[in-house]
Amino acid sequence: MIAAEPVKQRLARWAYGALLRLLTPVYLLRLWRRGKAEPLYRHAIAQRLGLAYAPSEPGRLWLHAVSLGETRAAAPLLAALRERHPGLRLLLTHSTATGFDAGRELLREGDAQTWLPYDTPGAVRRFLQRWQPAIGVLMETEIWPTLQHEARNAALPMVLANARLSAKSLRQGERFAALLRPAAEALRLALAQSEADAQRLRQAGVGEVQICGNLKYDLQPDAALLAQGQAWRAGLDRPVLLLAVSREGEEAPLLAAWARLPVQGRPLLAIVPRHPQRFDEVAALIEAQGLRVARRSSWTDSPPEAALGADVWLGDSMREMPLYYGLADVALLGGSFEKLGGQNLIEAAACGCPLLLGPHTFNFAEAAELALAAGAARRVDDLQTAITQGLTLCADAAQRLAMQQAAQAFAAEHRGAAARMAEAIAGLLAR
């Protein structure tokens, strides 16, 4: 039995690698198609295969932040690491265009940025042989079987920072234990967001786990964007209800319900979709309900007169969430009204925006429960109830003020994860 287990793991990894090789042309075609709307996806496609890297010296700290949320969360961690290691040389990798674009702001002279290759043996080996980093730091949930196997073979210490693992993901991982458990075991260290995450990570096979908190509490909202949103709100003669970071399946029922409300006294509805490729789709949904839409992308500093009379503002801009939270009287948390696990609610709290959560917040379970306990957010059973409660809060300044103050206090109370994680990673760098 003991001898059979390594064979089973090798077979699982071989089958996984073979499947990814077969699917690589499909992935590349998908990238090219996505590049029509988001041109950055067509940038340096060969890097996805572990090819065409610029010359570089070994020994960098490699940090992988798959998309926008992880890249933003990495900012305070990198700042804390640079305080401890002023000469830090960074290799920053991503998988999505939004992450790559945001990552440019984290770079300093001498740093490098590239795409993470697909998780096939050849691509991963070429990537690691080319860069030869001193340590690898993966953000949040990015455990890849081939990458972990090749890193272990290369004696490269791998850290999972701001680590989280939901009960659902743990169950799914147990179904593919022959593939995923060795990947988890190959981690040198996981820096977990919560005690519950730490327990699940240990169950998944991670040997050393430390509880450090959530890096997203250490993110400070852009003060200029927040002030701009507040100024826009001051110029309106009606309250604003925001659907923040919405996902597919949430906008249509909200818009249908909104169209049935009496026009007289109805707040301005603002919708900010999670994915930029859906901006036109959501605009079409708004127009299909007979509602007048104003798109944020159609103006610069201040909304024009036509936008002031619109029924819905579509937030079709990137990296402006503090602006929208400053604009809103109340926000509904996107991703929580479908079985999608919710989006990051910490940024809304830091901006002092009262928040209504749907039933599905398993991606941010601890943060959601803490926010609810602090009075920074309220839980509702469904979208219709969220609309009803949102309208009530829009009309109740005293309740909103209490939630605003509670939200800011809640966000401030849980800061400090960046310093704790940087200390742990610096300890590995010093070995």
Side-chain angles (χ1 to χ4, degrees), residues 8-363:
K8 184 177 180 180
Q9 291 172 4
R10 285 198 298 271
L11 287 174
R13 192 170 54 253
W14 178 88
Y16 167 78
L19 178 61
L20 286 191
R21 286 191 194 96
L22 288 172
L23 291 175
T24 294
V26 177
Y27 289 144
L28 294 175
L29 179 60
R30 183 168 177 250
L31 276 182
W32 191 256
R33 288 177 173 172
R34 288 194 70 176
K36 184 176 181 181
E38 298 175 80
L40 197 52
Y41 276 109
R42 295 181 178 180
H43 167 70
I45 285 180
Q47 292 176 0
R48 306 277 190 167
L49 305 177
L51 300 168
Y53 297 116
S56 177
E57 70 285 355
R60 295 174 182 272
L61 181 143
W62 162 40
L63 187 144
H64 176 62
V66 59
S67 193
L68 177 61
E70 293 83 359
T71 304
R72 293 190 66 246
L77 174 59
L78 286 174
L81 283 167
R82 291 189 199 275
E83 285 183 10
R84 288 163 174 77
H85 294 271
L88 181 75
R89 292 177 296 120
L90 173 68
L91 169 63
L92 187 60
T93 62
H94 314 274
S95 299
T96 71
T98 54
F100 198 101
D101 186 47
R104 289 167 171 160
E105 294 185 2
L106 303 181
L107 301 177
R108 294 186 180 179
E109 185 177 355
D111 291 343
Q113 185 183 31
T114 186
W115 298 108
L116 183 74
Y118 293 135
D119 203 39
T120 58
V124 171
R125 279 196 292 269
R126 287 190 291 272
F127 171 82
L128 293 178
Q129 288 167 2
R130 173 65 191 80
W131 292 103
Q132 297 180 46
I135 188 171
V137 180
L138 310 172
M139 292 294 294
E140 299 202 5
T141 61
E142 291 294 296
I143 302 178
W144 293 94
T146 303
L147 178 60
Q148 290 298 105
H149 175 73
E150 296 296 337
R152 173 179 271 179
N153 286 346
L156 172 64
M158 297 293 291
V159 177
L160 189 65
N162 214 37
R164 58 184 174 90
L165 183 65
S166 69
K168 179 180 178 181
S169 295
L170 177 61
R171 289 194 298 271
Q172 291 173 339
E174 288 171 346
R175 291 174 55 197
F176 301 98
L179 183 65
L180 296 178
R181 189 170 187 87
E185 291 173 346
L187 286 169
R188 178 71 61 85
L189 175 65
L191 304 172
Q193 295 184 14
S194 70
E195 175 62 40
D197 289 310
Q199 290 178 1
R200 288 190 286 264
L201 287 161
R202 293 186 185 104
Q203 283 182 257
V206 182
E208 184 177 353
V209 183
Q210 297 178 22
I211 302 167
C212 294
N214 192 331
L215 285 171
K216 292 178 180 177
Y217 289 108
D218 289 317
L219 286 168
Q220 295 293 326
D222 186 304
L225 284 174
L226 185 60
Q228 185 177 22
Q230 292 167 343
W232 287 2
R233 173 63 186 91
L236 296 171
D237 59 1
R238 51 183 168 156
V240 179
L241 182 69
L242 168 68
L243 176 59
V245 205
S246 63
R247 301 283 296 276
E248 189 170 4
E250 294 181 318
E251 301 97 353
L254 171 61
L255 290 165
W258 204 256
R260 293 192 295 268
L261 294 174
V263 175
Q264 189 67 29
R266 185 173 63 190
L268 172 64
L269 177 63
I271 299 178
V272 183
R274 169 68 178 85
H275 297 113
Q277 62 267 29
R278 298 191 60 242
F279 288 162
D280 290 342
E281 173 193 339
V282 176
L285 290 174
I286 297 168
E287 292 171 343
Q289 290 294 337
L291 298 168
R292 293 168 297 167
V293 60
R295 300 183 65 153
R296 164 71 181 101
S297 59
S298 67
W299 71 81
T300 52
D301 294 333
S302 300
E305 191 68 28
L308 298 179
D311 300 305
V312 183
W313 284 5
L314 176 60
D316 58 344
S317 62
M318 295 300 298
R319 296 155 61 190
E320 287 194 326
M321 282 313 301
L323 182 151
Y324 298 114
Y325 287 130
L327 170 71
D329 291 88
V330 182
L332 315 183
L333 181 67
S336 70
F337 297 98
E338 293 289 323
K339 295 179 180 179
L340 299 167
Q343 300 300 138
N344 174 22
L345 59 87
I346 298 169
E347 185 173 21
C351 292
C353 184
L355 200 59
L356 296 177
L357 315 181
H360 309 292
T361 53
F362 54 81
N363 284 338

Side-chain angles (χ1 to χ4, degrees), residues 383-394:
L383 192 54
Q384 185 56 58
T385 307
I387 295 169
T388 301
Q389 289 204 20
L391 293 172
T392 299
L393 277 171
C394 280

